[in-house]
């Protein structure tokens, strides 16, 4: 029985890696996808959708649905003179998606029109896989959302469900205990694409709901009675990106008002209201604003600076990166705070933070693709560990997935392994990047820098380092292609591998290190013009 369970688990894992979506390379502006690209998009879009068209039906849509050119002209003429019934089926949606994708060529004409001062039709921005026809076709004058209606009803539903799943995940790993504080990252573009799911997660953790006016405008976040909530109110450390802080000031003010009222709920016992418990502790320590929970960079400034330190190599211990994050995010925002330095409150909250929640809004850029994730989420985790002396867990919520039973939070390590297997170590991904020349080589190189970042704040498995070095550095054909495409990027790949081994992130074989040093010396001479 144990053997069968093991085989089933391995099969499920292999299937998950096999079906994992990844970007197939850089895209040329104004270029519509070919038949293969359209087919791949439609398969991914309808994956897991109820009543989804069959693969054969989608292939027929890509081929043109069997409709002749003459029949297409007749259909167009009928549409001019007779009202046509709307096709609301998933097959009809697939046909509309194909048409919308083919209109990507309008990006160039729209750009020229805009530069000439002409009118460019508007369209909401978002994620093409998640929102489909809501954001396609591209080449439009994109806009975001009404910030006074955030979170939307659907975002609140999904965010609240994700928060409950995060709590279930934490309790399963901690003997049924609730976390006292959970740090929730709130990023501007993520909030725009998901219409505020990260905000909804914070509300659900505290135990609050949205109160909207008749017009749909959000007027207030109201605390749910403890009797109805049925569990303790979990304290939330909200880590705001600079874009979120500046774009959604109204949401910041509503959240601040919620935390103030929650901290002042004198009729609730502290064992059932961790916001009040921690606020009372801070008040006893003499903190000026014990209910401050919304932290970001200094007013008008952006970024944790952790990626800059990793990029330059100017750091010694991982704890220093956590300290950098804390010093850059010690600034409180709310009704009476416009960037006040409240490092004492932040450190106290970090000391009680047991879990960090990060939402990923797009399949195109995941944890391993850009520097911001390790520089913020990862460094926040380290900052919490510095303050508490205990391990801090991280839950990843992939908002671009629409699982039938709602969002399924995953552990950070699981997502990192999944992403590395499906992207950096995936021959198809590597081939797609290498075909892009200098730009593709840069993309490969940036992921090696990010891998060092993750190695610093969390750790990266040896099999990832081994596979990456074998694929991109020790394979002579691939390394030569990288060198010819972008010598600087190739040198960075080698430098990051050597740095990882030198910092103890990677237990590399000595013969591998010798070969890497030789290749780095040659690459460095080539870049510097010595050879």
């Amino acid at each position: 029985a144990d053997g069968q369970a093991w085989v089933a688990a391995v099969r499920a894992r292999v299937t998950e890696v096999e079906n994992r979506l990844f970007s197939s390379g850089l895209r040329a502006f104004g270029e519509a996808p070919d038949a293969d690209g359209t087919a791949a998009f439609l398969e991914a879009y309808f994956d897991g959708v109820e009543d989804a068209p069959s693969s054969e039906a989608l292939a027929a849509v890509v081929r043109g649905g069997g409709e002749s050119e003459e029949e297409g002209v007749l259909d167009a003429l009928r549409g001019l003179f007779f009202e046509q019934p709307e096709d609301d089926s998933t097959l009809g949606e697939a046909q509309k998606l194909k048409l919308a994708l083919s209109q990507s060529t309008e990006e160039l004409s729209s750009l020229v029109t805009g530069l000439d001062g002409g009118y460019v039709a508007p369209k909401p921005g978002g994620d093409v896989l998640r929102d489909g026809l809501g954001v396609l076709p591209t080449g439009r004058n994109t806009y975001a959302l009404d910030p006074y209606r955030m979170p939307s009803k659907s975002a609140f539903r999904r965010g609240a469900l994700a928060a409950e799943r995060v709590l279930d995940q934490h309790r399963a790993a901690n003997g049924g205990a609730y976390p006292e504080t959970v740090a929730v990252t709130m990023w501007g573009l993520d909030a725009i694409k998901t219409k505020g799911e990260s905000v909804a997660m914070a509300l659900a953790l505290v135990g609050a709901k949205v109160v909207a006016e008749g017009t749909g405008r959000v007027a207030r976040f109201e605390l749910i009675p403890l009797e109805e909530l049925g569990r303790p109110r979990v304290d939330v450390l909200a880590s705001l990106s600079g874009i979120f802080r500046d774009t959604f000031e109204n949401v910041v003010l509503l959240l601040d008002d919620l935390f103030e009222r929650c901290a002042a709920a004198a009729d609730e016992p502290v064992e059932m209201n961790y916001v009040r418990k921690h606020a009372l502790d801070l008040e006893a320590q003499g903190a000026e604003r014990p209910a401050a929970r919304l932290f970001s960079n200094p007013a008008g400034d952006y970024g944790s600076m952790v990626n800059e330190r990793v990029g330059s190599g100017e750091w010694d211990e991982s704890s220093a990166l956590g300290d950098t994050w804390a010093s850059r995010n010690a600034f409180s925002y709310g009704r009476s705070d416009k960037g006040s330095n409240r490092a004492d409150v932040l450190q106290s909250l970090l000391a009680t933070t047991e879990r960090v929640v990060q939402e990923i809004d797009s399949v195109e850029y995941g944890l391993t693709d850009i520097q911001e994730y390790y520089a913020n989420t990862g460094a926040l985790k380290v900052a919490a560990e510095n303050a508490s002396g205990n391990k801090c867990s991280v839950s990843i919520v992939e908002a671009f997935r629409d699982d039938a039973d709602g969002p399924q939070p995953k552990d950070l390590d699981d997502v990192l392994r999944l992403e590395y297997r499906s992207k950096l170590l995936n021959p198809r991904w590597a081939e797609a990047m290498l075909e892009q020349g200098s730009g593709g080589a840069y993309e490969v190189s940036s992921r090696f820098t990010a891998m060092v970042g993750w190695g610093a704040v969390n750790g990266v498995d040896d099999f990832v380092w081994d596979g990456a070095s074998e694929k991109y550095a020790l394979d002579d054909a691939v390394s030569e292609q990288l060198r010819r495409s972008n010598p600087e990027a190739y040198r960075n790949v080698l430098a990051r591998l050597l740095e990882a081994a030198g910092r103890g992130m990677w237990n590399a074989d000595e013969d591998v290190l010798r070969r890497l040093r030789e290749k780095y010396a040659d690459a460095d001479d080539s870049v510097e013009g010595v050879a």
Side-chain angles (χ1 to χ4, degrees):
D2 290 344
Q4 291 178 340
W6 182 84
V7 170
V10 171
R11 181 183 292 115
R13 187 65 169 177
V14 170
T15 301
E16 184 179 18
V17 174
E18 181 184 17
N19 294 334
R20 184 77 171 182
L21 298 174
F22 64 87
S23 176
S24 58
L26 306 176
R27 174 180 169 272
F29 185 76
E31 183 177 287
D34 59 15
D36 289 340
T38 301
F41 174 84
L42 293 177
E43 287 282 358
Y45 181 83
F46 287 105
D47 182 37
V49 174
E50 188 176 355
D51 298 327
S54 65
S55 296
E56 293 75 16
L58 291 178
V61 168
V62 174
R63 290 194 305 269
E67 185 181 70
S68 67
E69 184 176 345
E70 292 79 7
E71 289 172 330
V73 172
L74 286 173
D75 282 344
L77 290 172
R78 292 189 193 102
L80 288 174
F81 297 102
F82 303 99
E83 184 176 350
Q84 300 295 312
E86 183 73 17
D87 187 353
D88 293 328
S89 68
T90 52
L91 186 60
E93 184 180 12
Q95 292 167 336
K96 294 172 188 174
L97 284 167
K98 179 200 171 187
L99 175 61
L101 289 171
S102 70
Q103 293 174 300
S104 299
T105 53
E106 297 177 14
E107 291 170 346
L108 282 173
S109 59
S110 294
L111 175 61
V112 173
T113 299
L115 292 174
D116 197 38
Y119 172 77
V120 178
K123 194 78 175 180
D127 183 79
V128 291
L129 272 181
R130 178 188 174 97
D131 301 312
L133 292 171
V135 298
L136 289 172
T138 53
R140 301 296 188 262
N141 185 6
T142 58
Y143 59 90
L145 77 165
D146 184 348
Y148 293 96
R149 286 169 170 75
M150 192 175 82
S152 69
K153 289 182 179 179
S154 61
F156 183 79
R157 178 185 59 80
R158 285 178 55 87
L161 183 56
E164 291 304 319
R165 295 277 170 78
V166 167
L167 292 179
D168 291 343
Q169 180 187 35
H170 184 89
R171 296 183 70 201
N174 292 274
Y178 285 97
E180 288 207 3
T181 304
V182 171
V184 178
T185 58
M186 298 184 187
W187 290 8
L189 294 180
D190 165 77
I192 289 170
K193 289 183 179 180
T194 68
K195 298 177 175 60
E197 286 183 16
S198 59
V199 176
M201 282 190 275
L203 295 178
L205 288 169
V206 173
K209 61 183 179 181
V210 175
V211 177
E213 298 173 348
T215 61
R217 179 188 177 106
V218 175
R220 181 180 173 91
F221 297 144
E222 190 65 60
L223 289 171
I224 298 170
L226 283 175
E227 298 76 22
E228 181 181 339
L229 184 62
R231 60 163 174 81
R233 300 193 192 279
V234 176
D235 203 350
V236 171
L237 166 56
S239 173
L240 315 180
S241 73
I243 294 177
F244 185 99
R245 172 199 67 201
D246 296 344
T247 306
F248 302 110
E249 183 181 7
N250 63 301
V251 179
V252 171
L253 296 178
L254 289 175
L255 285 171
D256 183 57
D257 173 65
L258 171 69
F259 285 120
E260 288 284 359
R261 285 184 284 112
C262 192
D267 59 331
E268 297 185 353
V270 293
E271 64 269 16
M272 293 296 291
N273 184 338
Y274 296 141
V275 179
R276 180 168 179 255
K277 176 184 177 181
H278 299 155
L280 290 173
D281 291 342
L282 282 162
E283 186 178 354
Q285 298 168 22
E288 188 176 339
R289 274 206 69 214
R293 294 295 184 273
L294 307 165
F295 288 87
S296 186
N297 312 132
D301 208 345
Y302 304 86
S304 69
M305 302 300 292
V306 171
N307 49 324
E308 280 80 357
R309 293 195 68 178
V310 170
S312 65
E314 295 177 356
W315 61 280
D316 295 319
E317 301 294 331
S318 297
S319 60
L321 299 179
D323 293 339
T324 298
W325 182 91
S327 67
R328 288 283 298 171
N329 286 273
F331 301 89
S332 169
Y333 291 84
R335 290 177 299 174
S336 59
D337 276 351
K338 303 300 179 185
S340 303
N341 190 326
R342 303 203 183 281
D344 56 338
V345 177
L346 176 64
Q347 285 299 320
S348 182
L349 291 172
L350 286 170
T352 62
T353 296
E354 301 172 57
R355 186 168 292 268
V356 177
V357 179
Q358 173 68 61
E359 186 171 53
I360 301 178
D361 59 72
S362 172
V363 70
E364 188 172 3
Y365 292 106
L367 293 178
T368 62
D369 296 316
I370 56 177
Q371 314 300 318
E372 284 71 20
Y373 283 116
Y374 77 76
N376 290 281
T377 311
L380 166 53
K381 166 186 171 291
V382 175
E385 292 170 342
N386 288 349
S388 69
N390 300 314
K391 179 176 174 56
C392 179
S393 302
V394 180
S395 295
I396 304 299
V397 178
E398 295 180 328
F400 57 84
R401 296 180 61 88
D402 194 15
D403 298 309
D405 53 351
Q408 301 292 333
K410 298 178 180 178
D411 289 327
L412 171 62
D413 287 333
D414 288 341
V415 177
L416 287 175
R417 292 180 187 122
L418 183 59
E419 284 204 12
Y420 282 128
R421 283 192 173 104
S422 61
K423 294 181 183 178
L424 192 66
L425 303 184
N426 184 345
R428 290 176 57 198
W429 185 89
E431 182 181 348
M433 288 299 126
L434 292 172
E435 289 177 353
Q436 302 296 324
S438 177
Y442 171 80
E443 292 293 325
V444 170
S445 172
S446 67
R447 283 157 177 80
F448 275 79
T449 302
M451 192 153 61
V452 169
W454 278 117
V457 299
N458 182 75
V460 173
D461 294 308
D462 276 346
F463 82 84
V464 178
W465 295 109
D466 292 338
S469 64
E470 182 178 345
K471 178 64 181 176
Y472 298 96
L474 302 181
D475 184 313
D476 290 335
V478 172
S479 63
E480 178 60 19
Q481 189 171 354
L482 282 173
R483 187 194 66 77
R484 284 188 283 104
S485 297
N486 191 326
E488 288 277 7
Y490 172 57
R491 180 173 66 171
N492 184 67
V493 166
L494 297 168
R496 296 305 176 184
L497 288 168
L498 291 171
E499 180 183 2
R503 292 185 182 274
M505 300 176 186
W506 172 32
N507 296 312
D509 182 80
E510 190 55 44
D511 183 60
V512 169
L513 291 177
R514 177 186 59 77
R515 294 172 63 190
L516 290 175
R517 292 188 188 103
E518 291 173 356
K519 284 178 171 284
Y520 179 79
D522 292 341
D524 193 46
D525 287 346
S526 177
V527 170
E528 299 297 333
V530 176

